[in-house]
Amino acid sequence: MTRKERAAIVDRRLAEHYPEPPIPLHHRDAFTLLVAVMLSAHTTDKSVNNVTPTLFAAADTAEKMSRLPVAEIQRIIRPVGLSPTKAKNLAAMAQLLMARHGGEVPQSFEALEALPGVGHKTAGVVLTQAFGVPAFPVDTHIHRLAQRWGLSDGRSVEQTERDLKAVFPVERWSKLHLQFIYYGREHCSARGCDGRTCGICREVFPERKRAKATRQA
Ligand code: SF4
């Protein structure tokens, strides 16, 4: 079976599980999404969603965030962890948005990745979820599942992103990004599985089943 054939199976199975996957980070617009994604590094979406109502009540625009003292941002976001760095980055990001982009979130990888604390994955999530720009940001779940399902050799997240973009139609990238993450969190965790739990591995690697049956015969 080719990678594209395996990808078609994965696409169908994920669409059955998550026909309309919601964006898990609560936000109101591109700026609040950017803030939420920056906060989500090394923590859960739930803990981010717990602090953002308070943070956005204090500052829900670049202009307001740029005027909020770093110490105050840090106090509010402390439960998400890494708060000194994240608070500093949020303040600097908002100040740069004011200085370079009139307080608006830019719509290009280059401009987003130039913001403090914004890497390629964060930029991709904002571009695809806030602006509908085709992107396939790869997180740890997507990286793991792409390897398990034989869609990438998993050498690096950069390679995984290239491999996934090569096997899925561009109009499916945004939704698949979310569907992979939900599936990784809810059904196919990093903990061990013998490849028989949910049936996707058996469907994308039918030869493994045959090899096992042959060995047993
Ligand atoms: S069979 Fe196991 S490893 Fe394969 S996709 Fe399902 S849960 Fe993940």
Side-chain angles (χ1 to χ4, degrees), residues 141 144-145 148 183-193:
H141 296 292
R144 182 178 72 255
L145 294 189
R148 280 186 179 168
Y183 202 82
R185 284 178 184 171
E186 295 174 3
H187 298 284
C188 184
S189 71
R191 287 188 299 280
C193 165

Side-chain angles (χ1 to χ4, degrees), residues 125-157:
V125 171
V126 171
L127 285 173
T128 191
Q129 293 179 354
F131 301 119
V133 173
F136 210 134
V138 172
D139 77 343
T140 175
H141 296 292
I142 298 176
H143 188 53
R144 182 178 72 255
L145 294 189
Q147 198 173 3
R148 280 186 179 168
W149 292 338
L151 305 177
S152 174
D153 62 16
R155 268 178 312 200
S156 66
V157 287

Side-chain angles (χ1 to χ4, degrees), residues 80-97:
V80 303
L82 303 173
S83 61
T85 305
K86 288 179 181 176
K88 215 159 40 171
N89 282 338
L90 286 180
M93 174 276 289
Q95 285 155 13
L96 212 63
L97 285 187

Side-chain angles (χ1 to χ4, degrees), residues 24-25 36-37 39-52 79-81 86 141 185:
L25 290 168
V37 179
L39 287 175
S40 71
H42 304 290
T43 189
T44 62
D45 292 343
K46 191 164 172 245
S47 36
V48 174
N49 288 337
N50 282 338
V51 303
T52 44
V80 303
K86 288 179 181 176
H141 296 292
R185 284 178 184 171

Side-chain angles (χ1 to χ4, degrees), residues 193-215:
C193 165
D194 64 0
R196 288 183 291 181
T197 303
C198 75
I200 294 187
C201 286
R202 273 182 299 188
E203 204 175 341
V204 294
F205 289 115
E207 65 277 11
R208 283 186 188 164
K209 201 167 60 176
R210 275 202 302 277
K212 192 160 188 269
T214 308
R215 274 202 309 277

Side-chain angles (χ1 to χ4, degrees), residues 72-183:
E72 177 62 2
I73 301 176
Q74 190 180 332
R75 186 188 66 76
I76 297 170
I77 69 168
R78 184 162 292 123
V80 303
L82 303 173
S83 61
T85 305
K86 288 179 181 176
K88 215 159 40 171
N89 282 338
L90 286 180
M93 174 276 289
Q95 285 155 13
L96 212 63
L97 285 187
M98 293 305 295
R100 288 193 193 162
H101 304 287
E104 299 296 320
V105 177
Q107 299 188 28
S108 76
F109 271 104
E110 198 187 3
L112 277 166
E113 288 177 34
L115 297 171
V118 179
H120 185 67
K121 179 164 69 82
T122 297
V125 171
V126 171
L127 285 173
T128 191
Q129 293 179 354
F131 301 119
V133 173
F136 210 134
V138 172
D139 77 343
T140 175
H141 296 292
I142 298 176
H143 188 53
R144 182 178 72 255
L145 294 189
Q147 198 173 3
R148 280 186 179 168
W149 292 338
L151 305 177
S152 174
D153 62 16
R155 268 178 312 200
S156 66
V157 287
E158 293 79 12
Q159 186 59 47
T160 297
E161 182 176 338
R162 281 194 289 276
D163 289 340
L164 292 177
K165 285 177 168 176
V167 293
F168 290 111
V170 64
E171 65 276 9
R172 297 278 304 117
W173 294 354
S174 270
K175 204 178 258 188
L176 278 162
H177 152 76
L178 287 169
Q179 290 166 328
F180 265 73
I181 293 173
Y182 279 114
Y183 202 82

